Amino acid sequence: MKPLISAAELKNLLPQGKVVVVDCRHVLGNAEADAGRAAYLAGHIPGARFLHLDEDLSAPKTGKNGRHPLPNAATLAIKLGGLGISRDTHVVAYDSSGGPFAARLWWLLRWLGAERVQVLDGGLAAWQAAGGELLSEIAAIKPVQFDVQINEACHVSADEVLANLESGDFQVVDARSAERFVGIGETLDPVAGHIPDAANRSFMLNLQNGYFKSAEALRAEWGVLLGDLEPKQLVHQCGSGVTACHNLLALEVAGLSGGRLYPGSWSEWCSDPSRPVTQ
């Protein structure tokens, strides 16, 4: 299944009742933590469920595990099952921010073993531009069982990233903005800078006018960063393991799959003063 679906394709598919749509809208920052849920309740794609980045798609924070730690797999599976999502369900995720929050759900579902997962290209704006309606009604849901088949090989730990500073087994790619990468304008984390030897590729570079660039364009652009490396030699991180999923999704679109995620990302890395920092 291709990783992206267009609004026109979703409009044709939705009446068949063979897809579950999930609204992942969110605004980063404590003051806006419930903005996505409020937007969902005001109007969403018909039948869409809602999953909250902080409450559903992340584990509780300890101060040492980053701002959006990986959720407990069993807990997430129960939540997904309660929304009528099994491991074989066709799921389409969307947001209104260019796709990073939808990409987080896309990656998490694949981590749990699901394969029939897509992100709505262009998000909610594309749906509305295609004439799609928005409803405030919450659809009735029949719970199902989500049988987890964890893929532990798709992510790495902070210790593995630390060891890589010596071994050089993989290339870390930071999805934050160029400014935050070099330590300018850091507002979300207490320490500015980046992981030593990391490369920078902002997730926003994957987009053009709110939509993902073509597979050919993404393949060419990422090819510059890859050089002689294979996609599987890339480990992706960002501030908290969310926008890095957008880079992984873009690589999937480009046919360059195989990269891994460092879920704790910069917010976990910089929480331990013994870990080196480049500014």
Side-chain angles (χ1 to χ4, degrees):
M1 179 171 285
K2 61 183 182 179
L4 298 178
I5 185 171
S6 71
E9 289 172 321
L10 181 59
K11 280 189 71 178
N12 290 332
L13 186 64
L14 202 58
Q16 301 176 30
K18 297 180 180 180
V19 61
V20 171
V21 179
V22 181
D23 189 315
C24 300
R25 279 180 284 177
H26 188 78
V27 179
L28 291 173
N30 291 335
E32 302 289 346
D34 243 5
R37 193 193 330 265
Y40 167 78
L41 293 173
H44 49 262
I45 293 176
R49 286 74 158 143
F50 178 77
L51 284 171
H52 195 286
L53 176 64
D54 297 330
E55 298 171 10
D56 303 315
L57 306 183
S58 305
K61 295 179 287 188
T62 65
K64 293 293 184 179
N65 59 354
R67 285 185 281 108
H68 294 109
L70 282 190
N72 175 271
T75 301
L76 179 56
I78 291 171
K79 290 181 178 180
L80 291 168
L83 295 181
I85 298 171
S86 73
R87 191 159 49 83
D88 297 322
T89 300
H90 182 182
V91 177
V92 172
Y94 74 91
D95 61 37
S96 58
S97 306
F101 308 116
R104 169 75 168 203
L105 177 58
W106 170 83
W107 186 91
L108 286 171
L109 282 165
R110 287 160 59 92
W111 171 54
L112 297 184
E115 296 180 354
R116 304 182 68 228
V117 190
Q118 295 179 297
V119 168
L120 177 59
D121 193 17
L124 190 66
W127 174 258
Q128 293 179 285
E133 65 176 337
L134 299 182
L135 300 178
S136 59
E137 291 82 2
I138 308 299
I141 298 172
K142 180 181 179 180
V144 297
Q145 182 78 23
F146 190 108
D147 296 314
V148 174
Q149 287 190 0
I150 284 286
N151 177 15
E152 293 292 3
C154 67
H155 63 91
V156 303
S157 67
D159 287 342
E160 289 174 287
V161 175
L162 185 62
N164 184 69
L165 297 180
E166 294 292 333
S167 68
D169 290 334
F170 52 79
Q171 173 65 59
V172 174
V173 180
D174 191 324
R176 294 177 298 163
S177 69
E179 291 76 18
R180 287 185 67 202
F181 180 74
V182 297
I184 298 173
E186 180 58 67
T187 58
L188 293 172
D189 295 305
V191 179
H194 61 265
I195 296 171
D197 301 325
N200 180 225
R201 162 86 184 186
S202 170
F203 79 97
M204 292 299 293
L205 295 176
N206 300 321
L207 302 173
Q208 186 170 27
N209 299 323
Y211 295 82
F212 277 81
K213 295 175 181 176
S214 69
E216 295 75 20
L218 289 170
R219 193 177 304 119
E221 292 179 15
W222 276 95
V224 175
L225 187 151
L226 279 164
D228 295 329
L229 298 174
E230 296 291 329
K232 65 182 180 181
Q233 292 176 274
L234 300 185
V235 166
H236 299 268
Q237 53 97 182
C238 52
S240 64
V242 176
T243 60
C245 296
H246 197 279
N247 275 352
L248 283 160
L249 176 60
L251 283 163
E252 194 79 16
V253 172
L256 300 170
S257 58
R260 292 175 288 172
L261 177 70
Y262 167 33
S265 287
W266 179 247
S267 55
E268 177 186 55
W269 184 266
C270 72
S271 70
D272 185 341
S274 71
R275 297 186 186 117
V277 169
T278 297
Q279 292 182 321

